[in-house]
Amino acid sequence: MSNENEPLLGRQHETNTLWSSFKVTMTSSYINYFLIFVPIAIVYSMLDASPTVVFTLNFIAIIPLAKLLGFATEEIALRSGSTIGALLNATFGNAVELILGIIALKEGLIRVVQASVLGSILSNLLLVLGFCFFFGGITRTEQKFNVTAAQTSCSLLALTTLSLLIPAAFIASTPNEDTAETILELSRGVSIVLLIVYLLSLFFQLKTHNFLYEDEVDETETPSTTLLFSTLTLLVVAIIVSIHAEYLVGAIEGVVQKWGINETFVGLILLPIVGNAAEHVSAVTFALKDKMNLCIGIAVSSSLQIGLLVTPVLVLTGWAIQQPMSLFFEDFETVILFASVLIVNYLIGDGRSNWLEGVLLLSSYVIIAMALYLYP
């Protein structure tokens, strides 16, 4: 029987202190030795080193930070449940995306914003989920997760896809009309609807049907850090990652000029991989531990936040600062998103995953990447 005096976020472990939490976090993985690259990367970036050097150092620096983000998420999940843990991980990751998006909007870089938004959804659905299914399934015949929760998330992703299909179909059916202002009005109205749906989905996920999203509790696992320290770690690491991500974004243009890669490929493939590296590592780590509800929660919840929260907020922000940000994406990009949501929906429909399904998702991402690389 539950105790009325028990804390809402789980039992507190009095033996853990801030200092012990710090020591446990720093010694949690050998990857943390790479944290030395964090100050080195920042210094070289401020000294205007060559784009290749800046890109390489910042990319290496993000790897241990991503590991810390995953460790802090798991600690919070042990106290508050995998639902809140996954939601916090996705939220801190996408906060960076939202901030960079607003900055780009102010500069009038609307196509860059649209490409990064769509690229983030694709990388989470195909790349992250693909790696989770593949690495998690290598040592197991299959892994199981709650099919109802997964399909509910995919239904919400289908709504996101619909919100992009409608403006594209609207323009395609009125080729001889000047629909720019009409599309903006439609996008702003749809954005408000999407925000309402997102808030209702949070209520569904955290209140009325939270049992669908929780992993089975492992009684042998107990938190080794305090809740305050884990939350502060999430916040601080997210801020540091955003700094490195900004340096990476600035260096990529100089790097790709040497490689001769088009901007569409950079916006839809390279930037999302770099920007979401923290979430990628966290999700794969949980898949290796067979915590599939938490793993899918991070990958799919992140895509949902981008589609139902970040994108509508960017549209409404563009409205406020007089920038014509809309939900009309290029037809090619909209079709790619539709096909991606469709294949993910098929693969998670049975509530089971294996390494071959991971290969299918990764293959889909590679095919899309090749198409975007050759896109004129």
Side-chain angles (χ1 to χ4, degrees), residues 40 70 87 121 123 132 172 197 246 323 334 361:
I40 293 175
L87 185 63
I121 295 177
S123 68
C132 287
V197 171
E246 189 170 354
Q323 289 289 351
T334 306
L361 289 173

Side-chain angles (χ1 to χ4, degrees), residues 257-271:
Q257 283 179 353
K258 296 182 180 179
W259 299 345
I261 302 174
N262 65 62
E263 292 184 359
T264 305
F265 180 82
V266 174
L268 283 170
I269 302 297
L270 290 186
L271 289 184

Side-chain angles (χ1 to χ4, degrees), residues 95-334:
V96 176
E97 188 86 21
L98 181 59
I99 292 170
L100 293 178
I102 292 176
I103 293 172
L105 260 187
K106 289 182 178 179
E107 300 296 325
L109 303 174
I110 295 173
R111 283 296 298 147
V112 173
V113 174
Q114 289 181 326
S116 65
V117 163
L118 184 59
S120 293
I121 295 177
L122 291 176
S123 68
N124 279 304
L125 284 184
L126 300 179
L127 189 64
V128 179
L129 211 53
F131 276 129
C132 287
F133 286 177
F134 179 74
F135 286 111
I138 286 179
T139 57
R140 303 175 181 88
T141 303
E142 65 179 17
Q143 293 178 286
K144 299 180 181 180
F145 49 88
N146 191 292
V147 62
T148 305
Q151 288 190 329
T152 299
S153 298
C154 272
S155 298
L156 290 169
L157 282 172
L159 177 64
T160 300
T161 307
L162 179 68
S163 70
L164 301 184
L165 284 172
I166 295 299
F170 190 95
I171 288 183
S173 61
T174 55
N176 299 321
E177 302 291 334
D178 184 9
T179 57
E181 191 60 36
T182 305
I183 288 297
L184 281 176
E185 293 177 4
L186 175 63
S187 298
R188 291 159 184 168
V190 171
S191 295
I192 294 173
V193 174
L194 292 179
L195 285 174
I196 294 173
V197 171
Y198 179 70
L199 293 175
L200 292 176
S201 71
L202 284 183
F203 185 72
F204 178 88
Q205 186 176 351
L206 298 176
K207 186 68 176 178
T208 63
H209 291 70
N210 61 323
F211 59 92
L212 295 175
Y213 296 85
E214 293 292 339
D215 279 305
E216 292 184 6
V217 178
D218 187 349
E219 297 295 341
T220 63
E221 286 190 288
T222 57
S224 54
T225 64
T226 65
L227 181 61
L228 174 62
F229 183 85
S230 298
T231 306
L232 287 175
T233 300
L234 274 180
L235 179 61
V236 172
V237 170
I239 292 173
I240 298 175
V241 168
S242 69
I243 295 173
H244 288 293
E246 189 170 354
Y247 285 134
L248 273 169
V249 171
I252 279 181
E253 185 176 357
V255 172
V256 299
Q257 283 179 353
K258 296 182 180 179
W259 299 345
I261 302 174
N262 65 62
E263 292 184 359
T264 305
F265 180 82
V266 174
L268 283 170
I269 302 297
L270 290 186
L271 289 184
I273 290 176
V274 171
N276 297 324
E279 294 165 23
H280 295 187
V281 175
S282 299
V284 172
T285 300
F286 297 134
L288 291 171
K289 296 181 178 180
D290 202 23
K291 297 183 176 182
M292 291 307 291
N293 282 337
L294 181 55
C295 163
I296 292 178
I298 291 174
V300 180
S301 291
S302 183
S303 296
L304 281 179
Q305 275 197 344
I306 293 169
L308 298 178
L309 177 64
V310 174
T311 304
V313 167
L314 288 173
V315 171
L316 297 177
T317 301
W319 187 12
I321 63 176
Q322 304 300 312
Q323 289 289 351
M325 171 71 181
S326 74
L327 294 176
F328 172 63
F329 288 51
E330 296 294 330
D331 294 343
F332 179 62
E333 298 166 1
T334 306

